Amino acid sequence: MRPVPYIDIHTHSTRFTKDTVTVQNIFPGEGFAPFSGRNFYSVGLHPWHISTEEENNEALQMVEEALEFDHVIFVGEAGLDKRSETNFAEQQRVFKAQAFMAEEYQYPLLIHCVKAYNEVFELRRKMQPAMPWILHSYSGGLEITEQLLKFKFLFSFGSLLFNQNAKVLETFKWLPLDKIFFETDELEEHVSVVYKRGAELRGLSADALREVVWKNFNRIERTLVDRT
């Protein structure tokens, strides 16, 4: 029996392999490759790229246009970043717009969040969205994670799993397996190295973890089978 594919739920790499389903991040207005069966995309206005309200609205329009393509399957990465020099109030406005867009088009929302978990949490609590919200490159400790879990957030892990001092290691070991994903983001390595590290931390085989994440991905992207 052929093993299920790896899922790289957030990557900036343009490399595709037959054993991996990728969700490559693109920015508004960027082009992307024709669909080959396993190259999916997310598109969103990143908080680092916030500009004037007029320019942001133009970018949001391009995000919405990109969502019409079948292999664009996530909105994002959208989010909030208090370390960014861009205007935080405008970050919030743009993030809310993309959260509503995710609901309208029925796509998961991929979230970049730095020092703003409370704000993201409050928005989800108020909106009560039907679509999954996935915190990418998650770094939170147990206390905030317990609160986020109550509101059905999902969590994607990458390079921080290799940091022996990261508080997120305890979080990763504690989380239910049906809430986790893996990503390479800016990593040059194949996502399999992240799976291997995750398997070590959870005391599982890498193949077992592949099965888990494959099921998780299909749960949130129910049209995957039809598209492949």
Side-chain angles (χ1 to χ4, degrees):
M1 182 176 174
R2 193 169 57 175
V4 300
Y6 292 104
I7 304 295
D8 189 346
I9 206 164
H10 178 70
T11 184
H12 294 274
S13 173
T14 57
R15 294 173 300 173
F16 304 118
T17 59
K18 291 182 179 180
D19 65 348
T20 308
V21 170
T22 59
V23 183
Q24 183 188 340
N25 182 80
I26 57 174
F27 298 112
E30 285 187 335
F32 44 90
F35 188 48
S36 63
R38 295 192 174 182
N39 61 315
F40 294 94
Y41 292 87
S42 63
V43 60
L45 182 52
H46 194 289
W48 293 355
H49 299 158
I50 295 296
S51 186
T52 66
E53 182 173 337
E54 181 180 0
E55 289 172 321
N56 295 336
N57 287 341
E58 290 176 358
L60 289 170
Q61 180 62 41
M62 286 188 279
V63 170
E64 190 163 11
E65 291 169 0
L67 295 177
E68 299 290 346
F69 289 85
D70 285 344
H71 56 313
V72 175
I73 61 169
F74 290 177
V75 177
E77 57 187 292
L80 301 174
D81 189 335
K82 288 186 175 178
R83 288 183 177 171
S84 174
E85 295 181 358
T86 61
N87 182 276
F88 192 69
E90 183 63 4
Q91 284 188 39
Q92 290 176 300
R93 186 188 75 85
V94 168
F95 178 61
K96 288 177 185 177
Q98 292 178 99
F100 282 112
M101 204 178 293
E103 287 298 289
E104 179 183 356
Y105 283 83
Q106 297 189 310
Y107 286 149
L109 181 66
L110 190 69
I111 300 171
H112 168 102
C113 184
V114 177
K115 302 293 185 181
Y117 288 123
N118 288 335
E119 287 83 355
V120 171
F121 170 82
E122 279 301 308
L123 182 59
R124 183 166 176 86
R125 184 183 65 81
K126 291 176 181 177
M127 280 186 63
Q128 295 289 314
M131 291 296 101
W133 286 19
I134 306 168
L135 291 160
H136 105 84
S137 193
Y138 187 62
S139 62
L142 276 178
E143 185 176 355
I144 186 63
T145 306
E146 288 174 353
Q147 295 303 312
L148 294 168
L149 202 56
K150 291 176 183 177
F151 282 84
K152 300 180 180 180
F153 280 86
L154 301 174
F155 308 86
S156 179
F157 299 89
S159 60
L160 276 178
L161 293 184
F162 297 93
N163 184 341
Q164 296 288 352
N165 299 317
K167 61 184 178 181
V168 78
L169 294 183
E170 185 180 9
T171 299
F172 177 76
K173 293 175 185 177
W174 171 83
L175 268 173
L177 287 171
D178 64 352
K179 307 298 181 185
I180 68 170
F181 294 95
F182 297 110
E183 63 181 67
T184 53
D185 196 12
E186 302 282 0
L187 280 176
E188 293 296 326
E189 290 89 350
H190 186 264
V191 73
S192 60
V193 302
V194 187
Y195 273 76
K196 182 180 178 181
R197 175 60 174 158
E200 291 170 354
L201 291 169
R202 294 299 299 244
L204 298 170
S205 71
D207 285 344
L209 204 51
R210 284 171 77 167
E211 291 280 353
V212 166
V213 178
W214 173 248
K215 289 177 181 178
N216 293 348
F217 185 68
N218 277 275
R219 193 178 303 120
I220 65 168
E221 183 41 51
R222 296 187 185 279
T223 59
L224 177 67
V225 174
D226 295 333
R227 292 171 179 174
T228 57

